[in-house]
Amino acid sequence: MSHAGSESEDGMLSNNQTESPLGEEGNYGGSANGGVALKKGPWTSAEDAVLIEYVKKHGEGNWNAVQKHSGLFRCGKSCRLRWANHLRPNLKKGAFTQEEEQLIIQLHATMGNKWAQMAAHLPGRTDNEIKNYWNTRIKRRQRAGLPLYPPEVSLQAMQESQRCLNIDRIESEHKSQHDTLLSKNYGIPNIMFDNLKASQSILPYVPELRDITASSMLMKGVSSSQYGSFMSPIMHRQKRLREETTLLSSFSGGMKNEFHLFDQFQDVNKAAQSFELPFPFDPDSTTKNPEFFGENQGSHTLANGNFSASKPTAEAVKLELPSLQYSETDLGGRGPSCSPSPLIESVDTFIQSPPTGTVESVCPSPRNSGLLDAFTS
DNA sequence: AATTCTAGCAACCGCACGTAC
DNA sequence: TGTACGTGCGGTTGCTAGAAT
């Protein structure tokens, strides 16, 4: 499949970008900059040439000055993006190699949607490329009913996450003792410690969860909504029918393992115990105990079934890393250096947004009679 | 041959951070 | 301390070629 939009590679111009190479007649949907309407849309080869020339002369950075000095009718962000993703030297073009794909999978399992960080591990590749690759991969695997990560990667990531969390915990405990010595509660409200203790007793961090294998947690992201989107209604009906055949046959062989996690929820109270939640389990606790379940705010469950690790919610982070204290600013945008793996977060999201309604309706299992109906209807 | 649908890609948008003033 | 600006990042959207029907 070839690229779309930009014709900068072969010099051809798309419909709305004729004649004027610098875009005088292009798409000016952008905001005005000093009265000059900025061009949007695909770059032309002429624009590329101008940008390359500019960077040669002035170097990278100060992108907003590009328009002033070069006459390009592009905003700084657009210039930066074009340079970073297409024009800068040493960019590797073409499909990812097997090694690169393997590396991306491993990196994603440990760091989540940190595309820029991942790109740093893949010389010549851009964050955008990796992001696109991953999103495509998700769709593909979702449709095929395959887990997002191979089992070996799952385990590795789990171990890595646990190691990471343990280090954090040790560090924070050490820091906590240090702080206690220093402060002896000087100025620190007791409620902070109470909350800390409460959160620690309520929820163990995920690797301590009993009876949950790494592979079962990893299966398709362990999203309660996963099975709802498993067979997207948007999917073309004919294609859906085609793939259902494949899926059902693969289910017959793999379902036992695949639904290991959900088997735990045959008995809801047992499930609650399994997660060490208060029980008898009240399916309505999401509304009754919003402070516990986080009200699903800012859920990282994406439409594509993936979990965004980029912006863990305050609750999510608090629940995952009860021994760490985060300020609100810490929780915005850039997380801690050792960000929780998406695998961990998957379970976390599940815990925060427990299934409501009947077990059968949200946790299909081979023993739930409605399963096949759900897939075939 | 025409139409529909999907995959892949490029680019945009909004948000957050860092820094200078 | 507050604000503006530049930059980086992640999510999303729109477009097109090619495959499927």
Side-chain angles (χ1 to χ4, degrees), chain A residues 307-355:
Chain A
F307 292 85
S308 165
S310 62
K311 293 182 182 179
T313 64
E315 288 303 318
V317 174
K318 283 172 192 164
L319 288 169
E320 276 174 2
L321 305 170
S323 56
L324 285 177
Q325 292 180 26
Y326 288 80
S327 69
E328 288 304 316
T329 39
D330 286 334
L331 298 169
R334 319 283 178 261
S337 60
C338 197
S339 61
S341 124
L343 314 182
I344 301 294
E345 198 166 84
S346 301
V347 179
D348 180 66
T349 305
F350 186 89
I351 293 167
Q352 286 186 72
S353 310

Short mmCIF file of all heavy atoms in Angstrom, two decimals, chain A residues 307-355:
data_model
loop_
_atom_site.label_atom_id
_atom_site.label_comp_id
_atom_site.label_asym_id
_atom_site.label_seq_id
_atom_site.Cartn_x
_atom_site.Cartn_y
_atom_site.Cartn_z
N PHE A 307 -4.67 0.45 25.10
CA PHE A 307 -4.69 1.27 26.28
C PHE A 307 -3.60 2.31 26.16
O PHE A 307 -2.47 2.00 25.90
CB PHE A 307 -4.44 0.42 27.52
CG PHE A 307 -5.57 -0.50 27.79
CD1 PHE A 307 -5.60 -1.73 27.15
CD2 PHE A 307 -6.60 -0.14 28.62
CE1 PHE A 307 -6.63 -2.59 27.39
CE2 PHE A 307 -7.63 -1.02 28.85
CZ PHE A 307 -7.65 -2.24 28.25
N SER A 308 -3.99 3.51 26.36
CA SER A 308 -3.00 4.56 26.28
C SER A 308 -2.28 4.67 27.60
O SER A 308 -2.88 4.84 28.64
CB SER A 308 -3.67 5.88 25.96
OG SER A 308 -2.78 6.93 26.23
N ALA A 309 -0.99 4.54 27.53
CA ALA A 309 -0.20 4.70 28.75
C ALA A 309 0.34 6.10 28.85
O ALA A 309 1.08 6.42 29.74
CB ALA A 309 0.93 3.69 28.74
N SER A 310 -0.02 6.91 27.93
CA SER A 310 0.59 8.23 27.88
C SER A 310 0.09 9.14 28.98
O SER A 310 0.82 9.95 29.51
CB SER A 310 0.32 8.87 26.54
OG SER A 310 -1.05 9.03 26.35
N LYS A 311 -1.16 9.03 29.29
CA LYS A 311 -1.70 9.92 30.30
C LYS A 311 -2.46 9.16 31.36
O LYS A 311 -3.68 9.13 31.39
CB LYS A 311 -2.64 10.94 29.63
CG LYS A 311 -1.92 11.89 28.73
CD LYS A 311 -2.88 12.89 28.17
CE LYS A 311 -2.20 13.84 27.22
NZ LYS A 311 -3.08 14.79 26.62
N PRO A 312 -1.74 8.49 32.22
CA PRO A 312 -2.44 7.78 33.26
C PRO A 312 -3.22 8.74 34.13
O PRO A 312 -2.73 9.81 34.47
CB PRO A 312 -1.30 7.12 34.05
CG PRO A 312 -0.07 7.84 33.69
CD PRO A 312 -0.31 8.46 32.35
N THR A 313 -4.43 8.37 34.45
CA THR A 313 -5.22 9.25 35.29
C THR A 313 -4.66 9.23 36.70
O THR A 313 -3.91 8.34 37.08
CB THR A 313 -6.67 8.78 35.37
OG1 THR A 313 -6.67 7.50 35.99
CG2 THR A 313 -7.29 8.70 34.01
N ALA A 314 -5.03 10.21 37.44
CA ALA A 314 -4.55 10.30 38.81
C ALA A 314 -4.90 9.02 39.56
O ALA A 314 -4.07 8.43 40.24
CB ALA A 314 -5.16 11.52 39.48
N GLU A 315 -6.14 8.60 39.41
CA GLU A 315 -6.59 7.42 40.13
C GLU A 315 -5.82 6.20 39.70
O GLU A 315 -5.42 5.38 40.51
CB GLU A 315 -8.09 7.20 39.91
CG GLU A 315 -8.95 8.20 40.62
CD GLU A 315 -8.68 8.23 42.12
OE1 GLU A 315 -8.53 7.16 42.72
OE2 GLU A 315 -8.62 9.32 42.68
N ALA A 316 -5.63 6.10 38.40
CA ALA A 316 -4.95 4.92 37.88
C ALA A 316 -3.56 4.83 38.47
O ALA A 316 -3.13 3.78 38.93
CB ALA A 316 -4.90 4.97 36.36
N VAL A 317 -2.88 5.94 38.47
CA VAL A 317 -1.51 5.91 38.96
C VAL A 317 -1.48 5.65 40.45
O VAL A 317 -0.67 4.90 40.96
CB VAL A 317 -0.81 7.23 38.63
CG1 VAL A 317 0.56 7.27 39.27
CG2 VAL A 317 -0.69 7.38 37.13
N LYS A 318 -2.42 6.25 41.15
CA LYS A 318 -2.44 6.05 42.59
C LYS A 318 -2.71 4.58 42.91
O LYS A 318 -2.15 4.03 43.84
CB LYS A 318 -3.52 6.92 43.23
CG LYS A 318 -3.10 8.38 43.35
CD LYS A 318 -4.28 9.21 43.80
CE LYS A 318 -4.00 10.69 43.66
NZ LYS A 318 -5.24 11.45 43.74
N LEU A 319 -3.59 4.00 42.13
CA LEU A 319 -3.92 2.61 42.40
C LEU A 319 -2.77 1.70 42.03
O LEU A 319 -2.49 0.73 42.70
CB LEU A 319 -5.18 2.21 41.63
CG LEU A 319 -6.47 2.81 42.17
CD1 LEU A 319 -7.59 2.58 41.19
CD2 LEU A 319 -6.80 2.21 43.52
N GLU A 320 -2.13 2.04 40.94
CA GLU A 320 -1.04 1.17 40.48
C GLU A 320 0.17 1.28 41.37
O GLU A 320 0.83 0.31 41.65
CB GLU A 320 -0.63 1.57 39.08
CG GLU A 320 -1.47 0.96 38.03
CD GLU A 320 -1.09 1.51 36.70
OE1 GLU A 320 -0.17 2.30 36.63
OE2 GLU A 320 -1.72 1.14 35.74
N LEU A 321 0.47 2.48 41.74
CA LEU A 321 1.68 2.72 42.48
C LEU A 321 1.34 3.38 43.81
O LEU A 321 1.62 4.53 44.05
CB LEU A 321 2.61 3.63 41.68
CG LEU A 321 2.94 3.14 40.28
CD1 LEU A 321 3.65 4.22 39.51
CD2 LEU A 321 3.79 1.89 40.35
N PRO A 322 0.71 2.60 44.65
CA PRO A 322 0.20 3.20 45.89
C PRO A 322 1.30 3.77 46.76
O PRO A 322 1.04 4.61 47.59
CB PRO A 322 -0.51 2.04 46.57
CG PRO A 322 0.04 0.81 45.95
CD PRO A 322 0.45 1.17 44.57
N SER A 323 2.51 3.31 46.57
CA SER A 323 3.55 3.80 47.46
C SER A 323 4.17 5.08 46.96
O SER A 323 5.01 5.66 47.60
CB SER A 323 4.64 2.74 47.61
OG SER A 323 5.13 2.40 46.35
N LEU A 324 3.74 5.51 45.81
CA LEU A 324 4.27 6.76 45.28
C LEU A 324 3.26 7.86 45.44
O LEU A 324 2.07 7.65 45.34
CB LEU A 324 4.59 6.60 43.79
CG LEU A 324 5.82 5.81 43.46
CD1 LEU A 324 5.94 5.69 41.95
CD2 LEU A 324 7.05 6.47 44.03
N GLN A 325 3.74 9.02 45.69
CA GLN A 325 2.84 10.15 45.76
C GLN A 325 3.07 11.03 44.56
O GLN A 325 4.18 11.39 44.25
CB GLN A 325 3.09 10.94 47.05
CG GLN A 325 2.68 10.15 48.28
CD GLN A 325 2.95 10.95 49.52
OE1 GLN A 325 2.97 12.17 49.48
NE2 GLN A 325 3.16 10.27 50.62
N TYR A 326 2.01 11.35 43.91
CA TYR A 326 2.11 12.19 42.73
C TYR A 326 1.37 13.49 42.97
O TYR A 326 0.29 13.50 43.51
CB TYR A 326 1.48 11.50 41.52
CG TYR A 326 2.27 10.36 41.00
CD1 TYR A 326 2.19 9.11 41.63
CD2 TYR A 326 3.10 10.51 39.91
CE1 TYR A 326 2.91 8.04 41.16
CE2 TYR A 326 3.82 9.43 39.43
CZ TYR A 326 3.73 8.20 40.05
OH TYR A 326 4.44 7.16 39.57
N SER A 327 1.99 14.53 42.51
CA SER A 327 1.24 15.77 42.50
C SER A 327 0.41 15.79 41.24
O SER A 327 0.66 15.01 40.32
CB SER A 327 2.21 16.96 42.49
OG SER A 327 2.87 17.00 41.26
N GLU A 328 -0.57 16.64 41.18
CA GLU A 328 -1.43 16.70 40.00
C GLU A 328 -0.61 17.02 38.75
O GLU A 328 -0.88 16.50 37.68
CB GLU A 328 -2.53 17.73 40.19
CG GLU A 328 -3.58 17.29 41.19
CD GLU A 328 -4.22 15.95 40.85
OE1 GLU A 328 -4.54 15.74 39.67
OE2 GLU A 328 -4.40 15.12 41.74
N THR A 329 0.39 17.86 38.93
CA THR A 329 1.18 18.21 37.75
C THR A 329 2.00 17.03 37.29
O THR A 329 2.24 16.85 36.11
CB THR A 329 2.14 19.38 38.04
OG1 THR A 329 2.65 19.22 39.35
CG2 THR A 329 1.44 20.70 37.91
N ASP A 330 2.42 16.21 38.25
CA ASP A 330 3.18 15.02 37.86
C ASP A 330 2.35 14.12 36.96
O ASP A 330 2.87 13.42 36.11
CB ASP A 330 3.58 14.21 39.09
CG ASP A 330 4.69 14.89 39.85
OD1 ASP A 330 5.45 15.65 39.23
OD2 ASP A 330 4.78 14.68 41.05
N LEU A 331 1.06 14.18 37.17
CA LEU A 331 0.20 13.23 36.47
C LEU A 331 -0.19 13.71 35.08
O LEU A 331 -0.74 12.97 34.31
CB LEU A 331 -1.07 12.98 37.29
CG LEU A 331 -0.75 12.36 38.64
CD1 LEU A 331 -1.97 12.39 39.52
CD2 LEU A 331 -0.23 10.97 38.46
N GLY A 332 0.10 14.91 34.80
CA GLY A 332 -0.28 15.42 33.49
C GLY A 332 0.79 15.08 32.47
O GLY A 332 1.96 15.17 32.73
N GLY A 333 0.35 14.70 31.32
CA GLY A 333 1.26 14.54 30.20
C GLY A 333 2.39 13.56 30.42
O GLY A 333 2.29 12.41 30.05
N ARG A 334 3.43 13.97 31.00
CA ARG A 334 4.61 13.12 31.13
C ARG A 334 4.59 12.40 32.46
O ARG A 334 4.62 13.01 33.51
CB ARG A 334 5.86 13.95 31.01
CG ARG A 334 5.80 15.01 29.95
CD ARG A 334 5.98 14.39 28.57
NE ARG A 334 5.87 15.42 27.54
CZ ARG A 334 4.76 15.62 26.84
NH1 ARG A 334 3.69 14.91 27.05
NH2 ARG A 334 4.74 16.54 25.90
N GLY A 335 4.59 11.13 32.40
CA GLY A 335 4.54 10.34 33.61
C GLY A 335 5.90 10.19 34.23
O GLY A 335 6.85 10.82 33.79
N PRO A 336 5.99 9.34 35.25
CA PRO A 336 7.27 9.08 35.86
C PRO A 336 8.17 8.35 34.88
O PRO A 336 7.69 7.74 33.93
CB PRO A 336 6.91 8.19 37.05
CG PRO A 336 5.60 7.59 36.71
CD PRO A 336 4.90 8.61 35.85
N SER A 337 9.45 8.40 35.14
CA SER A 337 10.39 7.81 34.19
C SER A 337 10.11 6.33 33.99
O SER A 337 10.32 5.78 32.95
CB SER A 337 11.81 8.00 34.69
OG SER A 337 11.95 7.37 35.94
N CYS A 338 9.63 5.71 35.02
CA CYS A 338 9.33 4.29 34.92
C CYS A 338 7.83 4.14 34.82
O CYS A 338 7.17 3.79 35.78
CB CYS A 338 9.88 3.57 36.14
SG CYS A 338 10.01 1.82 35.91
N SER A 339 7.28 4.42 33.70
CA SER A 339 5.83 4.42 33.57
C SER A 339 5.30 3.01 33.57
O SER A 339 5.96 2.08 33.14
CB SER A 339 5.44 5.14 32.28
OG SER A 339 5.98 4.48 31.19
N PRO A 340 4.08 2.87 34.09
CA PRO A 340 3.50 1.54 34.17
C PRO A 340 3.31 0.94 32.80
O PRO A 340 2.96 1.62 31.86
CB PRO A 340 2.16 1.79 34.86
CG PRO A 340 1.86 3.22 34.64
CD PRO A 340 3.18 3.91 34.57
N SER A 341 3.59 -0.33 32.73
CA SER A 341 3.41 -1.01 31.46
C SER A 341 1.94 -1.06 31.11
O SER A 341 1.08 -1.08 31.99
CB SER A 341 3.98 -2.41 31.57
OG SER A 341 3.03 -3.36 31.24
N PRO A 342 1.63 -1.08 29.83
CA PRO A 342 0.23 -1.15 29.43
C PRO A 342 -0.43 -2.43 29.91
O PRO A 342 -1.64 -2.49 30.06
CB PRO A 342 0.30 -1.10 27.91
CG PRO A 342 1.69 -1.44 27.55
CD PRO A 342 2.54 -1.01 28.70
N LEU A 343 0.37 -3.43 30.16
CA LEU A 343 -0.20 -4.69 30.63
C LEU A 343 -0.76 -4.49 32.02
O LEU A 343 -1.85 -4.91 32.36
CB LEU A 343 0.88 -5.77 30.70
CG LEU A 343 1.76 -5.87 29.49
CD1 LEU A 343 2.74 -7.00 29.67
CD2 LEU A 343 0.91 -6.06 28.27
N ILE A 344 0.04 -3.82 32.83
CA ILE A 344 -0.40 -3.52 34.18
C ILE A 344 -1.63 -2.64 34.10
O ILE A 344 -2.62 -2.85 34.80
CB ILE A 344 0.70 -2.76 34.94
CG1 ILE A 344 1.97 -3.60 34.98
CG2 ILE A 344 0.26 -2.40 36.33
CD1 ILE A 344 1.87 -4.85 35.75
N GLU A 345 -1.55 -1.68 33.24
CA GLU A 345 -2.64 -0.71 33.16
C GLU A 345 -3.92 -1.37 32.67
O GLU A 345 -5.01 -0.97 33.03
CB GLU A 345 -2.25 0.43 32.23
CG GLU A 345 -3.13 1.63 32.47
CD GLU A 345 -2.56 2.85 31.82
OE1 GLU A 345 -2.83 3.02 30.63
OE2 GLU A 345 -1.87 3.60 32.48
N SER A 346 -3.78 -2.39 31.86
CA SER A 346 -4.97 -3.08 31.39
C SER A 346 -5.79 -3.60 32.55
O SER A 346 -6.98 -3.42 32.63
CB SER A 346 -4.57 -4.26 30.50
OG SER A 346 -3.82 -3.81 29.42
N VAL A 347 -5.11 -4.26 33.44
CA VAL A 347 -5.80 -4.82 34.59
C VAL A 347 -6.32 -3.70 35.46
O VAL A 347 -7.42 -3.76 35.99
CB VAL A 347 -4.85 -5.72 35.39
CG1 VAL A 347 -5.56 -6.28 36.59
CG2 VAL A 347 -4.37 -6.84 34.50
N ASP A 348 -5.52 -2.68 35.56
CA ASP A 348 -5.92 -1.54 36.37
C ASP A 348 -7.21 -0.95 35.85
O ASP A 348 -8.13 -0.64 36.59
CB ASP A 348 -4.81 -0.49 36.34
CG ASP A 348 -5.18 0.72 37.17
OD1 ASP A 348 -5.29 0.54 38.39
OD2 ASP A 348 -5.38 1.78 36.60
N THR A 349 -7.27 -0.80 34.54
CA THR A 349 -8.47 -0.24 33.93
C THR A 349 -9.65 -1.16 34.21
O THR A 349 -10.75 -0.70 34.50
CB THR A 349 -8.28 -0.11 32.42
OG1 THR A 349 -7.12 0.66 32.20
CG2 THR A 349 -9.47 0.57 31.79
N PHE A 350 -9.40 -2.44 34.16
CA PHE A 350 -10.46 -3.40 34.41
C PHE A 350 -10.97 -3.24 35.84
O PHE A 350 -12.16 -3.25 36.11
CB PHE A 350 -9.93 -4.82 34.21
CG PHE A 350 -11.00 -5.86 34.32
CD1 PHE A 350 -11.70 -6.22 33.18
CD2 PHE A 350 -11.31 -6.43 35.52
CE1 PHE A 350 -12.69 -7.18 33.27
CE2 PHE A 350 -12.30 -7.38 35.61
CZ PHE A 350 -12.99 -7.76 34.48
N ILE A 351 -10.02 -3.07 36.75
CA ILE A 351 -10.40 -2.94 38.14
C ILE A 351 -11.19 -1.65 38.36
O ILE A 351 -12.18 -1.61 39.06
CB ILE A 351 -9.15 -2.96 39.04
CG1 ILE A 351 -8.53 -4.34 38.98
CG2 ILE A 351 -9.50 -2.60 40.47
CD1 ILE A 351 -7.14 -4.41 39.55
N GLN A 352 -10.70 -0.61 37.69
CA GLN A 352 -11.38 0.68 37.88
C GLN A 352 -12.73 0.72 37.22
O GLN A 352 -13.62 1.44 37.65
CB GLN A 352 -10.52 1.80 37.29
CG GLN A 352 -9.32 2.10 38.14
CD GLN A 352 -8.61 3.28 37.59
OE1 GLN A 352 -9.11 4.40 37.71
NE2 GLN A 352 -7.50 3.06 36.97
N SER A 353 -12.89 -0.02 36.16
CA SER A 353 -14.16 -0.04 35.46
C SER A 353 -14.70 -1.45 35.44
O SER A 353 -14.74 -2.08 34.41
CB SER A 353 -13.97 0.46 34.04
OG SER A 353 -13.26 1.66 34.05
N PRO A 354 -15.06 -1.94 36.60
CA PRO A 354 -15.51 -3.32 36.64
C PRO A 354 -16.78 -3.48 35.84
O PRO A 354 -17.55 -2.53 35.70
CB PRO A 354 -15.76 -3.55 38.13
CG PRO A 354 -16.07 -2.21 38.67
CD PRO A 354 -15.29 -1.24 37.86
N PRO A 355 -16.97 -4.67 35.33
CA PRO A 355 -18.16 -4.89 34.52
C PRO A 355 -19.42 -4.70 35.34
O PRO A 355 -19.46 -5.08 36.50
CB PRO A 355 -18.01 -6.34 34.07
CG PRO A 355 -17.00 -6.94 35.00
CD PRO A 355 -16.12 -5.83 35.47
#
